[in-house]
Amino acid sequence: MNVMRHLRVPNSKVEGVLAQMKAEQWLAIGFRVIPDEDGTHRLLPISTEAPSELPGLTSAYEVELVEGRADERPSSDWWKHLKEILGEEEVAFHGESWPSNHEFIGDIMIVRIDEALRAHTKAIAKAKMHSHPHVRLVMDDKGVQGELRIRDLEPIGCRNGDHVLTSDFPPHLIETRVMVRESGRSILCDPTRAYFSTKLQAERLETLALAKELRSLLGRPIRVCDPFCGVGPALATLLGEPDLVGDLLASDLNPDAVEMLFDNLRRWDRRNYPSETTPLSRIHEDRAVGIADATKLHEAPDTSGSWDLLLVNLPHRTVEFLPSLVPLLDRTGPSMVRGRVITAESEIEEANEAIRKALPPRLQGTPEPTLKIKRDYSSTLRLCSFEAWIAPMPEK
Ligand SMILES: C[S@@+](CC[C@H](N)C(=O)[O-])C[C@H]1O[C@@H](n2cnc3c(N)ncnc32)[C@H](O)[C@@H]1O
């Protein structure tokens, strides 16, 4: 599942809007225009790189978050190349096992190769690179590992001028530090050193909408705590909104992520940040940034009880960590927890109960925190998210 932004345009205007989106490079490549159920509109897929506001378009038409429909046409090119290299019979023999999906992180393509197809790794790399001329490097993804959630990635193909190499890679051609454009901002990341996923743009835009609601409720910029921030993609979106973020705490256990976070904040926040990784400290009066263990933050008097919005983005441990994170909220007024959770589909109700038990009472008039499935994590596990509006602590 890949939920993404779509512009809902009346059929009669589709041609003109498509032309404008193509000219501005706002149209998502590899995704299709979807007919709306009402028969009078179409949903045009918006590129993740496009700014959050599309001048002249987002003011005129609604933006909807719906699952993108992959366009099979570009991939037909990859099948053609694969068949040229391996022959029709071998390709047909492995049927659905071929990695027809992939993820782009800047000019890097990430694919997951089935164990049974390892012997064809070089052919896969070549066919992918021939069918995607803008790709510089193809990497095989062996999955996210360890507490720092870093992907185990192995280069399997890279471009050297007009040639595609599938072994003996010169180090300068397999550089993995890249700039990714999202919602009009540049995010520095390195998927071999810190967690990063381009598939979370819709999630980040939903968080932005919730943060704006919280700001309206409180009537002032909000204090945001992102203690599993990685290289900071959630903050790219929040800091892009004027007068939304007041005080900010951004920390992570991974020193490499923090090093890139400093670089990112320097650009997004237009202020100085250290060039070396440092433990969590007040870099500016309203910016606490650095390496920290999120479960220990509540022990420090200046970080405990100080935040309006808490982001909990360590989905395989969110429920377990919530009790140590809740004390970070400022309970003198309403606050919010926004989190992601991985759970078996059959255990969603149990997880809902565990979340409700771990959190303080909800704000009157707001719904119970409830997990919404965002996409498949494996054949049985689902990646879900929730938001919880928290009531102020009653005065004694
Ligand atoms: C799923 S990633 C999310 C990163 C980032 N929020 C994003 O959306 O790209 C989880 C992050 O939590 C960090 N992490 C894991 N355990 C931690 C802990 N105890 N304290 C702080 N950070 C931790 C990992 O290093 C990783 O960057």
Side-chain angles (χ1 to χ4, degrees), residues 144 146-150 194-197 200 204 226-234 251-255 257 291-297 311-317 321 340:
V144 171
E147 267 324 280
L148 303 184
R149 315 308 293 152
I150 301 174
Y195 176 92
F196 183 79
S197 172
L200 299 178
R204 301 194 252 271
D226 188 357
F228 306 94
C229 70
V231 302
S251 57
D252 198 282
L253 206 50
N254 177 356
I291 308 167
D293 181 342
T295 60
K296 304 270 183 329
L297 287 176
L311 305 178
V312 187
N313 191 355
L314 187 62
H316 66 302
R317 302 192 76 179
F321 280 179
R340 299 173 64 231

Side-chain angles (χ1 to χ4, degrees), residues 88 137 160 180 210 250 280 298 324 347 366:
E88 296 256 357
L137 174 63
N160 188 8
V180 176
L210 290 164
L280 179 65
H298 66 96
S324 65
E347 287 166 19
T366 63

Side-chain angles (χ1 to χ4, degrees), residues 185-199:
R185 297 234 151 179
S186 298
I187 304 172
L188 174 70
C189 65
D190 180 340
T192 65
R193 291 169 59 220
Y195 176 92
F196 183 79
S197 172
T198 53
K199 293 187 180 155

Side-chain angles (χ1 to χ4, degrees), residues 101-269:
N101 291 329
H102 45 249
E103 179 179 355
F104 294 115
I105 298 193
D107 56 4
I108 303 176
M109 176 193 271
I110 292 178
V111 293
R112 275 180 187 225
I113 301 180
D114 204 285
E115 221 27 69
L117 289 170
R118 289 260 168 251
H120 291 316
T121 299
K122 290 184 179 190
I124 292 170
K126 272 193 193 154
K128 288 282 183 190
M129 293 206 93
H130 287 318
S131 56
H132 293 88
H134 72 282
V135 168
R136 174 179 59 84
L137 174 63
V138 184
M139 302 189 94
D140 177 17
D141 184 359
K142 301 204 171 94
V144 171
Q145 313 216 319
E147 267 324 280
L148 303 184
R149 315 308 293 152
I150 301 174
R151 297 191 219 209
D152 181 6
L153 295 172
E154 188 188 324
I156 58 168
C158 75
R159 217 174 281 283
N160 188 8
D162 291 340
H163 301 286
V164 169
L165 305 181
T166 52
S167 59
D168 303 321
F169 306 115
H172 71 284
L173 294 180
I174 52 169
E175 173 64 56
T176 46
R177 201 172 159 95
V178 281
M179 224 26 130
V180 176
R181 294 285 292 170
E182 183 181 289
S183 303
R185 297 234 151 179
S186 298
I187 304 172
L188 174 70
C189 65
D190 180 340
T192 65
R193 291 169 59 220
Y195 176 92
F196 183 79
S197 172
T198 53
K199 293 187 180 155
L200 299 178
Q201 190 208 22
E203 189 72 16
R204 301 194 252 271
L205 291 171
E206 277 178 22
T207 303
L208 173 65
L210 290 164
K212 286 184 179 170
E213 270 187 66
L214 185 59
R215 170 177 61 183
S216 305
L217 185 71
L218 297 174
R220 56 166 170 78
I222 57 173
R223 294 163 298 168
V224 177
C225 179
D226 188 357
F228 306 94
C229 70
V231 302
L235 306 172
T237 315
L238 296 178
L239 289 170
E241 174 71 22
D243 302 321
L244 178 64
V245 179
D247 205 353
L248 170 68
L249 182 147
S251 57
D252 198 282
L253 206 50
N254 177 356
D256 288 343
V258 172
E259 187 243 308
M260 289 179 268
L261 170 72
F262 280 153
D263 194 297
N264 284 325
L265 284 174
R266 219 172 285 137
R267 274 173 289 108
W268 304 335
D269 218 12

